[in-house]
Amino acid sequence: MTEKQENILNAALELFANEGYNATSTNKVAKAAGVSEGLIFRHFGNKEGLLAALLKVGEDRFKSLYADIVMESDPEKIIRKAILLPFQVPESEYTFWKLQFKLKWEMEVDGKEKTEPLLRVLKYAFEKLGYAEPEKEASLIVFIHEGMSGAILKGVPIDKQAFQTFLLEKYNV
Amino acid sequence: MTEKQENILNAALELFANEGYNATSTNKVAKAAGVSEGLIFRHFGNKEGLLAALLKVGEDRFKSLYADIVMESDPEKIIRKAILLPFQVPESEYTFWKLQFKLKWEMEVDGKEKTEPLLRVLKYAFEKLGYAEPEKEASLIVFIHEGMSGAILKGVPIDKQAFQTFLLEKYNV
Amino acid sequence: MTEKQENILNAALELFANEGYNATSTNKVAKAAGVSEGLIFRHFGNKEGLLAALLKVGEDRFKSLYADIVMESDPEKIIRKAILLPFQVPESEYTFWKLQFKLKWEMEVDGKEKTEPLLRVLKYAFEKLGYAEPEKEASLIVFIHEGMSGAILKGVPIDKQAFQTFLLEKYNV
Amino acid sequence: MTEKQENILNAALELFANEGYNATSTNKVAKAAGVSEGLIFRHFGNKEGLLAALLKVGEDRFKSLYADIVMESDPEKIIRKAILLPFQVPESEYTFWKLQFKLKWEMEVDGKEKTEPLLRVLKYAFEKLGYAEPEKEASLIVFIHEGMSGAILKGVPIDKQAFQTFLLEKYNV
DNA sequence: CATGAATGAGTCTTCATTCAT
DNA sequence: GATGAATGAAGACTCATTCAT
């Protein structure tokens, strides 16, 4: 991975996340990255390839985000960790996650399958704790994630610290 | 509003909602609507004008959705109605709402200010009911809305009836 | 068929025939035709479509060229007409025929099937006249056509009148 | 001539002959040859240089093809050898000759001057044999060559052995 | 000798928009 | 109101070529 390749990826991430994939021309990316337009195609084949490279780089972030929680067996800890999840994303990664959200809507990129493991482990936790509707409880957590993260990423001001505490108390974890 | 004008709006709604605003050319809209491309510009000025017309038509939907709830004074009824809100959108309007969600991400179209009145009235209701964190409770409801509606509009299969009951019971309303 | 459409076709014919299909950019065609580049695509879809339109227009020329000969039943007249064939192409059509030859080589465009009917009728004629190898005689005529026409179209100076007489006498027709 | 240089020449010959010079990118040549694109330019200067090298290598083939015939003085043997000419090209050289034909049309590469010596010697032969139109007879032979060779190189199935005999008998040589 | 990163000009094509009819 | 021809700018992508290593 040469320096220019990284410049391209960074520029593309920034632009795709903020202006949208379709609204960002490869020309704009090249200029922002300080490289010739052709280089994008030499390295990533085509515009979609550039996007794919971006998503591939980010796949690890998904995994490291979920890894800790999916391994857990104590139901209370599962729920606790699930709630903490969105709050642990460092602000430096916001651009990447904004891209994820944008793509879910701009293209019809998956999204559903990515939350599957989380749903499963949450359902298991709520079952263990004797909740009447564990599956729905799990979904609810995910919905809250989506709604809240979306708001944060779009720049809605939220006292994250306080909201985190609020949620943890609500679930007694 | 002539018939052709409506054809254009319908075609545009369908295409913008499903393929995205940027990914939809005026040419595609014209073909889907069965009119000449020029007519779009005669009626709506430019592509943005077409989008604006679409959003304007939908503004009533926002209002009629919120009207009933904002007028309410009984706190329990407010919460009940707020929860019911997303479930009362008829499926025939899903395309329109999908467009709303898409635009929130594809362009950076507001969204925040639209939920403001709902947030206010919910905060008031939770206060009345003695909740410790009325503002956060209100936000939470809105986050759930966003998360759930997003999932539904993207086609994730959900037993809406059951989920509605689940939420109502959770809030004892 | 508007005037500009014809300008495009004429310019394309000229350029494709003289510089080659691949070596001619749509930009060059547009400039030569005095139209915007986009118009080419509006009318012909893409560069290949432009070529196809050119070939379609020329298909009649093939037919009218062969029609007279294929209908003939007198063997001597068949051969006579076959020999005269290349000499009857008016110089105004040379560009079109040059394109045909060029395409046979630049792309791998048919060519074989187009001469089929001519081969058949010639074989029949030579049979009738008692030639020992009617099929080869027919092929020979076609080879002579190809070789001679190719030379003429590439600008090799030939006394066509004299050569025509020479050939007719050779076959006693 | 290193091995890689030969790889390049072979790949280029194959590609230029089958897909055309303009339609073949140096990138494609490099990949087919299993070398870096830069190497092509180090060795051959530019794309045209590569083509020139190809033609230079093939020049011997022209010479060895014509050498025997041009030296001949017996008119009947001249004609006999001329007729045999195209049939003596080994199939392994077809790709090279296909390139020759392609170039004659795709670029406006000579071809005329190359047949000059053959024309001269044939004219001489026909004169000696008392033909009325020795110059035209010579041209005719060349036209037949062109037409027949073209057909063969384009893959039209021909019984070469039989056709050769047919021609030799036609000229009583 | 050989590579592969890098470039700038150019290619085909699409797009929003205008305008005469 | 409505069409369809026409445009110019921009879009994604390709290509021959250069150069540092």
Side-chain angles (χ1 to χ4, degrees), chain C residues 115-138:
Chain C
T115 55
E116 269 283 341
L118 181 59
L119 275 172
R120 244 199 323 271
V121 72
L122 275 171
K123 184 185 165 194
Y124 157 83
F126 282 116
E127 260 168 11
K128 281 275 167 188
L129 294 176
Y131 276 69
E133 296 268 31
E135 195 157 358
K136 294 195 177 54
E137 298 282 356

Side-chain angles (χ1 to χ4, degrees), chain B residues 4 36 38-39 42-43:
Chain B
K4 299 217 169 184
S36 71
L39 196 57
R42 162 163 283 284
H43 282 315

